Amino acid sequence: MATYLFKLPDIGEGIAEAEIVAWHIAVGDRVEEDQQLADMMTDKATVEMESPVAGVVRKLAGEVGDQIAIGSVLVEIETEGADAAAAPAEAEEVPLADGAAVPTQAQEEANPTLDVEDAPELVRPERSAERIVEGRSPEPQQERASTSLSTNEDDRSHSGPILTTPAVRARARDLGIDLAQVKHQGEHIRHADLDAYLLYNGGQVSGRATALRADEQIKVVGLRRKIAENMQAAKRRIPHFALVEEYDVTALEETRAMMNRDRGQNPKLTLLPFLITALNKALADFPMINATYDDEANVITRHGGVHMGMAAQTPNGLMVPVIRNAERLSIWQLATEVARLSDAAKTGKATRDELSNPTFTISSLGPMGGVVSTPVISPPQVATVAVNKVEDKVVPVNGELEIRKRMNLSLSCDHRAVDGWDAASFLQALKPLIENPLRLLA
């Protein structure tokens, strides 16, 4: 018997330590060669640690959330045979999967698969909340054609079968209301009778659960902790100001629908490639917004190319894959990159380079985007824009009222680098581009 000391290898240039985000083994477990031991996270990437030997786990370096220094012992494994014992721990290298962040089974179960078909701008979870209702009313029974109720004509209660429509019965079941307790006029219980029951019972319904689950504590680790630290640093270091402008996207939506009908093998277009194209064109005239701010050196760098970050919700939390030199790509090429990078972020296959160094960021919640938002700038960037939902509004057009599709863009800027006049001028420069999509296609 011999003890193999598996030391944490150098898993990134300039990285001094890494965080334990998941253990896949426990003390006493039997492990095989190349079996996954743990997931370790640096600033941007999660890396799988695999065992170079077979044996029994005797000691682990810490718990989930602990920081482990590069070169320190991560796992002690009791091995059999001289060959395994003789292998020097210092020589072990763990190959990186292009900096991929691979979600664990527990993370996958806690975060459902995301749908990016029509809004890859910000991937949306497909989870429906399941109601937990104790003391529910019985399942709907087959409606009876005719039943006499032995009640007063003006104030009926129930001593026999309950007559009502399937919709009323379903609503009562959803609310946890016992239909036998609902007074009503006429032969059937109607929605108005349910409303009256709720009103005169002070909103208290019998048998309805008031607490769906017990309290739980969740340790903030891994990407969630990085997001928290970055957002806290951003709000502490950057003097934010926000500006919101409304745009008419009727023509843009018509153009998008037309292009999608004739797209052939091209990916389905969302609003995002059009908006990125508009931003690219406007940023060329406002270089102070496509910039980064170095706090320590007090230097602002105005970037020639646009490295467009796009915020994406993933099972592991918010990530920002980056479209390199987005100004060089057509709308169709941008649509391809948006889909590719959204999928890479969602599945944990985005590389370190694909998650690094944006010069400007766009985020969108699609139809859930609200009316106004105040996005947080991620340093060292000096600006970010959030896309709000598209709404039908009645607006005056040439003296006539028309229903038009309208959308707000919310721009947040670092006041150390961007003045209010510049921000307002930038949003105005976007208007002719967004409201006349032919300018985007030129």
Side-chain angles (χ1 to χ4, degrees):
M1 292 290 184
T3 299
Y4 186 94
L5 303 180
F6 177 74
K7 297 182 179 180
L8 182 62
D10 186 356
I11 57 177
E13 183 178 353
I15 301 298
E17 59 184 8
E19 178 185 348
I20 303 171
V21 294
W23 282 115
H24 300 289
I25 55 170
V27 173
D29 286 355
R30 172 79 187 181
V31 297
E32 302 299 330
E33 187 174 348
D34 298 327
Q35 181 176 334
Q36 190 173 351
L37 301 175
D39 293 340
M40 305 296 296
M41 182 176 179
T42 62
D43 290 339
K44 294 264 186 190
T46 300
V47 182
E48 297 177 357
M49 298 290 109
E50 297 179 348
S51 177
V53 297
V56 178
V57 177
R58 292 307 181 198
K59 187 176 181 181
L60 303 179
E63 299 180 351
V64 170
D66 288 350
Q67 298 283 344
I68 305 299
I70 299 299
S72 60
V73 176
L74 184 66
V75 183
E76 291 186 11
I77 302 174
E78 186 178 275
T79 62
E80 298 179 1
D83 292 340
E90 292 80 6
E92 294 299 330
E93 294 184 359
V94 178
L96 303 184
D98 292 328
V102 180
T104 65
Q105 180 180 356
Q107 291 169 326
E108 290 288 358
E109 293 172 353
N111 298 275
T113 302
L114 305 174
D115 176 20
V116 296
E117 176 184 357
D118 197 46
E121 303 90 29
L122 193 58
V123 184
R124 305 188 300 274
E126 285 184 350
R127 171 184 290 178
S128 61
E130 179 182 357
R131 278 189 187 274
I132 303 174
V133 182
E134 298 175 359
R136 297 170 64 171
S137 59
E139 293 298 316
Q141 303 294 322
Q142 182 176 359
E143 300 294 340
R144 302 192 179 185
S146 61
T147 305
S148 61
L149 303 179
S150 57
T151 61
N152 182 279
E153 185 67 20
D154 295 326
D155 187 13
R156 299 173 183 264
S157 58
H158 300 282
S159 58
I162 298 169
L163 294 180
T164 186
T165 64
V168 171
R169 193 181 298 275
R171 182 184 175 205
R173 184 171 63 252
D174 187 53
L175 291 171
I177 296 175
D178 181 1
L179 288 174
Q181 304 300 317
V182 178
K183 296 181 180 180
H184 64 97
Q185 296 180 352
E187 294 295 330
H188 297 77
I189 297 177
R190 305 181 186 278
H191 285 288
D193 299 318
L194 294 184
D195 295 339
Y197 179 87
L198 292 172
L199 177 65
Y200 291 110
N201 283 274
Q204 299 296 318
V205 292
S206 60
R208 185 176 184 180
T210 57
L212 297 182
R213 60 180 63 87
D215 292 347
E216 61 177 327
Q217 292 185 331
I218 301 174
K219 193 169 184 179
V220 181
V221 299
L223 184 60
R224 186 76 262 165
R225 182 161 79 176
K226 291 296 181 184
I227 292 171
E229 291 172 350
N230 291 341
M231 292 300 100
Q232 183 179 17
K235 294 298 286 187
R236 183 176 64 248
R237 292 163 49 188
I238 298 176
H240 284 66
F241 77 91
L243 200 60
V244 181
E245 185 58 83
E246 186 180 57
Y247 300 85
D248 190 318
V249 294
T250 307
L252 184 55
E253 283 286 56
E254 292 172 351
T255 301
R256 182 173 75 92
M258 178 189 67
M259 294 176 69
N260 275 331
R261 284 194 298 269
D262 302 323
R263 64 190 174 100
Q265 299 300 314
N266 290 310
K268 187 175 181 180
L269 290 172
T270 66
L271 275 179
L272 195 56
F274 293 93
L275 296 177
I276 292 175
T277 300
L279 289 167
N280 291 337
K281 292 179 179 293
L283 286 170
D285 295 325
F286 292 87
M288 73 290 291
I289 295 178
N290 185 43
T292 51
Y293 190 102
D294 188 331
D295 295 80
E296 296 182 0
N298 262 339
V299 172
I300 298 174
T301 301
R302 296 180 173 182
H303 298 276
V306 180
H307 303 311
M308 184 67 66
M310 55 174 199
Q313 188 65 36
T314 76
N316 292 328
L318 187 68
M319 302 183 76
V320 184
V322 182
I323 303 174
R324 299 288 170 200
N325 293 111
E327 78 283 357
R328 300 178 184 176
L329 304 181
S330 69
I331 287 177
W332 291 114
Q333 290 170 328
L334 285 170
T336 300
E337 275 298 274
V338 166
R340 185 186 70 81
L341 289 171
S342 294
D343 182 69
K346 181 184 70 174
T347 58
K349 296 179 181 179
T351 65
R352 186 187 303 272
D353 183 62
E354 290 171 337
L355 297 171
S356 302
N357 303 321
T359 59
F360 186 87
T361 294
I362 183 172
S363 61
S364 173
L365 286 168
M368 300 194 315
V371 178
V372 174
S373 52
T374 54
V376 178
I377 303 165
S378 179
Q381 297 169 79
V382 300
T384 184
V385 70
V387 182
N388 300 292
K389 65 182 178 181
V390 176
E391 293 184 299
D392 288 335
K393 291 186 177 182
V394 178
V395 296
V397 178
N398 298 324
E400 300 289 338
L401 292 179
E402 292 186 13
I403 298 177
R404 308 286 292 181
K405 293 188 179 297
R406 311 283 287 190
M407 179 194 70
N408 291 340
L409 289 183
S410 301
L411 177 70
S412 289
C413 295
D414 183 340
H415 221 323
R416 297 172 301 176
V418 182
D419 294 329
W421 178 267
D422 294 326
S425 300
F426 175 70
L427 289 178
Q428 292 304 314
L430 288 171
K431 266 188 176 293
L433 297 169
I434 292 175
E435 297 184 353
N436 186 356
L438 291 180
R439 293 175 180 265
L440 301 179
L441 300 174

